[in-house]
Amino acid sequence: MATQRWTDEMLDDLASTVEDLSSTVEDLSSTVEQTTRNIEQTNRNVDMLVGAVNALLARDSQRDEEMRQRDEEMRRRDAEFQQYKLENDQRFNTLLEEVRFLIRQLGENQG
């Protein structure tokens, strides 16, 4: 087995390769750190967005309930108004019949 001797040029090439690899590892490490920070910021943004969406959904649900209650109140008032109108119409018709009756009696008494 032959032993190969390292020349100065080979050692310089090896040192240069090690420096390049070290620089690449540092760059990758920096990229990983930045990516990790970006992911953490994205997670915070998503959490805030989820909170905002939940708040909007809760507000929408509350408004739906308020609208339902208003609709029920309007239907109740409409039913009360219809009943009031019906009763007034009945009173009016009763009075009208009484007036007609009185007019007929006056006509009979004069005739």
Side-chain angles (χ1 to χ4, degrees):
M1 182 165 150
T3 304
Q4 183 177 7
R5 292 214 167 260
W6 286 81
T7 63
D8 285 342
E9 185 179 328
M10 291 170 67
L11 288 174
D12 288 344
D13 286 344
L14 178 61
S16 176
T17 301
V18 168
E19 286 177 16
D20 289 346
L21 287 174
S22 176
S23 176
T24 300
V25 167
E26 286 176 14
D27 290 346
L28 286 173
S29 177
S30 175
T31 301
V32 166
E33 288 175 13
Q34 182 62 40
T35 301
T36 300
R37 285 192 296 275
N38 289 343
I39 289 171
E40 289 170 354
Q41 182 61 44
T42 299
N43 287 340
R44 285 190 295 273
N45 291 344
V46 167
D47 288 344
M48 289 185 339
L49 183 59
V50 166
V53 167
N54 285 336
L56 288 172
L57 287 172
R59 189 177 74 184
D60 188 51
S61 178
Q62 180 181 359
R63 285 186 178 172
D64 283 349
E65 178 61 22
E66 290 170 359
M67 290 299 291
R68 186 189 63 73
Q69 289 175 357
R70 285 184 198 142
D71 286 349
E72 286 179 13
E73 178 67 15
M74 291 302 290
R75 281 192 290 277
R76 185 187 62 75
R77 287 183 181 184
D78 186 54
E80 288 175 357
F81 176 76
Q82 292 301 325
Q83 181 63 33
Y84 173 79
K85 183 177 177 287
L86 179 65
E87 291 170 0
N88 277 340
D89 288 350
Q90 289 171 345
R91 281 194 288 273
F92 176 77
N93 287 332
T94 301
L95 287 173
L96 186 60
E97 288 300 318
E98 288 179 13
V99 167
R100 286 179 182 155
F101 175 76
L102 292 173
I103 289 172
R104 279 193 303 271
Q105 277 188 340
L106 281 175
E108 290 174 2
N109 289 340
Q110 290 179 356

